[in-house]
Each structure stands twice: as C-alpha cells, then as structure tokens.
Amino acid sequence: MQCDACRREAVVYQPYSGKHLCPVHFLKDFEAKAKHAIRSHGWLRPGDHIAVALSGDAASAALLFFLAKLTAARRDIRLSAITIDTGMSGSPAIAQAGAMAAACSVEWHCGSFAERYGMTIDEMVQKNGPDTARRSCRVLLCDLLGEIAEAHGATRCAFATTVDETAGDFFSSLLSGKVERTLFPAGVTGKTRIPAIRPFMDIPAPEVIRYAELCCGKYGTWDALLPGPCAGQDSLAADAQAALDMYSDRHPAAKFALANLAGTLAGIAAARGMTPSCPVCGEPIDGGECNACGIRRDVTRGTLL
C-alpha cells in the first residue's frame, strides 16, 4: 500500500483518518500531534526542567526520544529521566532504561521500592494480595517519582499516556459509578504536587509503539506496552475495556471522543470548583478518608509493608 501523501510504501494505517502513511509522513503527523498537545496546554515554558518517567517500555522510550529531539536546541529547557525499580518480576530491565537515557544524552535517576519502602511490589503481592498491592503501588510509585523529581529540581513530570489509556480509564470509571475519578484532572505527580504533562494524550497506543520502533530501535529492543507494576483490573473494568476495544474496531473515533469528554468534564469541574480532592495530597476522594493518605499512613506505621 502506498502512502497517501507520496508514493513511498506505507508503514502505518490510521483507521480513524483513513490514511496510509510512510515513515516520513507518519513521523511528521505523530510529532505534530504531540507538539499540538504541548502548545495547547502550555506544557513547555522557559526555565522548565522536564523529568520523563522512563519505565523501559516502548512508550516511555518514544517519549524521551521525542522530548529530547524537541528540546535539543533549547538551552532554556532541561530534560532528565527517572526510572523506578518496583521489583516486579518480568518488568523491563533497568539497564535498558539507563541505556536509552544515555543515548538521548540526558541525566538519569533511579529509585527503588526496596530501598525506599523496604519491600518490592512482588513481596507486597505475596503479603497483602494483588488488589491491595495494586492500589498501594500507584500511590507509592507516584510519591517516589515525585520525591526524586523534586530533589533534582524538576518543574514538570512527563508521562507517555496514550488516548487508549485515557479513554479506557474514563469509560470504566463511568460504568462503575466512580464519578469523582471522571472529574478529577490528573495533573500532578505524588504528594509533592509536581505538574504532569502527557504529550501523547491524543495519540493511539499502536502509533506510539510504531514511533518507538522507527526512532528508538537502534538503541535497543523495546517491549510494546507491558503491564505496569500497578496494572490489573477488577472484572467490571476489564469487561469495560474489552467492550470499548470491540466497539472501537467498528467506530475508530470512539476512544478519541471519550478522551475528549473526560478532558472537558475535568475542565468544567475545575472551573466550577467541583473537583472532589483531598485537601492534604490532592488525590480524588469520594467522601470519608483519602485512600492515598491512608496508604501513606499504613506504610509509615509498617502495617502495610
């Protein structure tokens, strides 16, 4: 199949646009979308220090490469990478993340659950069960990432969140009745309150993986989108994600519509002061005690770990 913009062989098909794109025009299209997201949200400003959450998979490698390319000529922007070793078996090699940071010529910082909390995520699963470990992992991971970012003077943290993730989270939260999570604008990292940026928020996961293959392949063999250390869903969320994926096969724009709706509702809630968040750490709450603060308290007391 030929590229719709030239006569080269196409390597990507976009079902939502109907376009076939060659490597040259795909990269232009991909980077234009990421740049538009950054411009529209004002995510890069003079004096910023952007810390990229580099997990070692294809998406985070693609994000680091893109931001390094984007800021290469900007002396007023500093870029670094942070990797958190949760101790989960089968997770991407820490050394590979470090190699990617070195290839992009950025500072690389590494944190460890074992060193910070005295226990790996695998040990947390064995002791407390997968559900408790999963809920705790998200909070502890963001906290440790935020601590390291703050210690090195980062002003923003960058995540390789795709439109698939945003739409999937919104859809499952909506069906489960957790309205507070559909209204909460996920814009900060951990209790240090460092703003988060997501340049790939309008890009499908398969295109992010393809970008990594084209741009980062010479730096290593990258796993596609591995389940993160906090991954895992209850039956309702898993069924919701499966239903959304099936529906999107017939209606390719569905995930974009859901992601846009999630962003619109979050903006309205924030503008009207409706965002139900914890006054201490800013995490979303649905009345009662903040779950994130409860996890941190239990970790401090040693009752969780």
Side-chain angles (χ1 to χ4, degrees):
M1 185 66 67
Q2 288 186 339
C3 174
D4 290 330
C6 67
R7 297 197 176 193
R8 298 184 185 92
E9 182 178 356
V11 296
V12 169
Y13 172 64
Q14 298 176 330
Y16 55 90
S17 71
K19 294 180 180 179
H20 295 85
L21 299 174
C22 68
V24 173
H25 288 99
F26 166 66
L27 294 180
K28 288 182 178 179
D29 180 79
F30 183 99
E31 293 178 354
K33 290 174 182 174
K35 290 176 183 177
H36 178 266
I38 290 174
R39 285 195 304 270
S40 61
H41 291 87
W43 278 339
L44 277 185
R45 298 177 181 176
D48 267 341
H49 173 187
I50 309 298
V52 178
L54 183 63
S55 64
D57 68 352
S60 63
L63 179 61
L64 182 62
F65 178 87
F66 166 74
L67 289 175
K69 180 180 178 180
L70 181 66
T71 61
R74 301 228 8 208
R75 295 186 178 182
D76 59 332
I77 300 290
R78 180 182 168 194
L79 192 66
S80 64
I82 299 176
T83 301
I84 304 299
D85 181 7
T86 63
M88 182 184 74
S89 56
S91 61
I94 299 300
Q96 183 161 295
M100 186 64 200
C104 292
S105 300
V106 301
E107 297 177 33
W108 180 58
H109 310 288
C110 189
S112 165
F113 266 31
E115 293 179 4
R116 177 65 178 81
Y117 305 118
M119 184 175 284
T120 67
I121 189 65
D122 282 349
E123 292 170 337
M124 289 174 62
V125 170
Q126 292 178 358
K127 180 178 180 180
N128 303 299
D131 291 339
T132 298
R134 183 174 64 250
R135 290 192 298 269
S136 304
C137 177
R138 185 185 65 83
V139 175
L140 301 179
L141 184 64
C142 286
D143 280 356
L144 182 53
L145 182 68
E147 288 176 9
I148 296 174
E150 184 179 48
H152 292 89
T155 57
R156 303 175 192 271
C157 285
F159 297 90
T161 307
T162 66
V163 70
D164 300 69
E165 295 172 83
T166 303
D169 289 345
F170 175 76
F171 188 54
S172 61
S173 295
L174 191 63
L175 292 181
S176 63
K178 299 177 181 178
V179 181
E180 76 284 355
R181 292 197 177 276
T182 69
L183 297 180
F184 184 70
V188 292
T189 300
K191 57 185 178 181
T192 56
R193 315 300 294 158
I194 296 178
I197 69 173
R198 296 175 171 84
F200 295 167
M201 62 179 291
D202 298 322
I203 303 175
E207 292 185 30
V208 174
I209 296 172
R210 193 63 171 135
Y211 183 84
E213 291 172 348
L214 292 172
C215 298
C216 307
K218 60 184 177 181
Y219 304 126
T221 302
W222 303 97
D223 292 302
L225 295 177
L226 292 178
C230 312
Q233 299 174 318
D234 55 37
S235 58
L236 180 78
D239 288 345
Q241 185 65 60
L244 178 57
D245 289 340
M246 184 181 300
Y247 185 80
S248 296
D249 288 339
R250 299 193 303 272
H251 305 279
K255 290 182 179 180
F256 294 92
L258 283 174
N260 288 335
L261 179 58
T264 299
L265 290 179
I268 293 174
R272 296 183 179 180
M274 298 166 54
T275 304
S277 57
C278 173
V280 177
C281 71
E283 287 284 327
I285 57 175
D286 185 21
E289 182 185 22
C290 170
N291 179 59
C293 287
I295 290 173
R296 296 184 186 107
R297 181 201 61 217
D298 292 342
V299 170
T300 301
R301 293 177 178 177
T303 55
L304 175 63
L305 302 180

